[in-house]
Amino acid sequence: EVRFSNDGVNYSSPVVYSTSQPWVLTTGDAEKTVYVKFKDNAGNWSNPVSSNIILDTIAPQATINVEYLPDGKAKVSFTASDSGSGIGKIYFSVDGSKPVIPYGGQPLTIPSSCIIKYYSKDLAGNQGSAQSREIKIARINSTSPDLPVFGSCANPITITGSGFGVQQGRGKVLFDGNIEANVTHWSDTEIIINFGKVTGDLEHGFSFGTIINPDIKIPHTLTVISDFGARSQSSSFSFHPDMMC
């Protein structure tokens, strides 16, 4: 026969010995100690034998970390926390499907917009609920008027693409990476900017709205920084005399 205890003092009634027995632990997730005594055929009870068991019924929580990079991509990593047995694995997918790819611990480089799903599982087998995160990568498809010919006054310029975000918020458009354009319209797929009139001449340089005397001989760019922090840069272009008013 055998009998069990959760505290080493108060033991259960003896039951017939078998290699496995059901036993109710004390309530609450924590490390538990179970004590057991064995009785031989002569009626002698053994000294108690104990074993530690981690009771873990709470699912872990996974977290996604997203960093938008200057090259127009996103860096994604995952972390998870568990108060019981510890984290076993984190699983993810990058196409919105069921997460089945085990995360190896190194950041992922995401080149285009997608939906990432992910969850974690602890060492006790508890599985957290799957979560999702939409990654928006800003992409400029075209500008109108087409670059490099803006039109005589470059007013206004429409930028079409994807992943710009739906709120202007932190989003902005930069000329040559540092001069901010005036945004008059912003949506996830279209941005309208207004630099004002282009004036000047080839000999003395020219003014482009608030941009004073940019070098007409070097290529320039427009950069969209989305509401999420993602960047997309237009093809380089140069100014032409017929762009001036």
Side-chain angles (χ1 to χ4, degrees), residues 68 133 136-139 162-173 186-188 191 224-232:
Y68 288 100
R133 172 74 176 269
K136 288 234 178 188
I137 303 297
R139 288 286 180 265
S162 61
F164 299 146
V166 295
Q167 295 179 346
Q168 189 167 332
R170 295 175 299 151
K172 54 188 173 182
V173 178
W186 189 293
S187 72
D188 189 59
I191 299 171
V224 172
I225 301 179
S226 77
D227 211 42
F228 305 96
R231 288 173 174 258
S232 180

Side-chain angles (χ1 to χ4, degrees), residues 115-135:
I115 295 178
I116 294 180
K117 288 190 174 182
Y118 59 97
Y119 73 88
S120 57
K121 181 182 289 187
D122 64 21
L123 294 174
N126 300 307
Q127 179 177 311
S129 58
Q131 303 177 70
S132 64
R133 172 74 176 269
E134 183 177 14
I135 305 298

Side-chain angles (χ1 to χ4, degrees), residues 85-245:
S85 57
I87 296 300
K89 283 284 187 180
I90 299 174
Y91 297 89
F92 71 95
S93 67
V94 295
D95 58 2
S97 62
K98 179 181 178 181
V100 295
I101 305 171
Y103 177 57
Q106 296 300 315
L108 311 174
T109 299
I110 306 298
S112 57
S113 297
C114 65
I115 295 178
I116 294 180
K117 288 190 174 182
Y118 59 97
Y119 73 88
S120 57
K121 181 182 289 187
D122 64 21
L123 294 174
N126 300 307
Q127 179 177 311
S129 58
Q131 303 177 70
S132 64
R133 172 74 176 269
E134 183 177 14
I135 305 298
K136 288 234 178 188
I137 303 297
R139 288 286 180 265
I140 294 178
N141 295 336
S142 63
T143 59
S144 178
D146 292 335
L147 299 177
V149 180
F150 283 51
S152 61
C153 292
N155 185 13
I157 300 170
T158 299
I159 303 170
T160 58
S162 61
F164 299 146
V166 295
Q167 295 179 346
Q168 189 167 332
R170 295 175 299 151
K172 54 188 173 182
V173 178
L174 301 179
F175 175 83
D176 282 353
N178 58 11
I179 301 175
E180 189 169 348
N182 176 41
V183 175
T184 59
H185 168 75
W186 189 293
S187 72
D188 189 59
T189 58
E190 181 182 79
I191 299 171
I192 298 176
I193 60 175
N194 188 331
F195 276 114
K197 292 184 176 181
V198 180
T199 57
D201 57 61
L202 288 174
E203 181 178 355
H204 300 98
F206 58 94
S207 297
F208 186 47
T210 58
I211 305 165
I212 307 301
N213 296 332
D215 191 339
I216 198 168
K217 300 175 183 179
I218 66 173
H220 302 278
T221 59
L222 290 176
T223 301
V224 172
I225 301 179
S226 77
D227 211 42
F228 305 96
R231 288 173 174 258
S232 180
Q233 187 168 288
S234 70
S235 300
S236 60
F237 63 93
S238 299
F239 291 97
H240 297 281
D242 61 3
M243 294 170 60
M244 300 174 187
C245 298

Side-chain angles (χ1 to χ4, degrees), residues 6 23-34 51-59 82-86 122-126:
N6 283 322
W23 179 246
V24 178
L25 300 173
T26 55
T27 59
D29 283 13
E31 186 176 25
K32 312 289 184 177
T33 302
V34 177
S51 180
N52 292 333
I53 300 172
I54 296 177
L55 178 61
D56 181 5
T57 62
I58 300 175
D82 182 71
S83 60
S85 57
D122 64 21
L123 294 174
N126 300 307

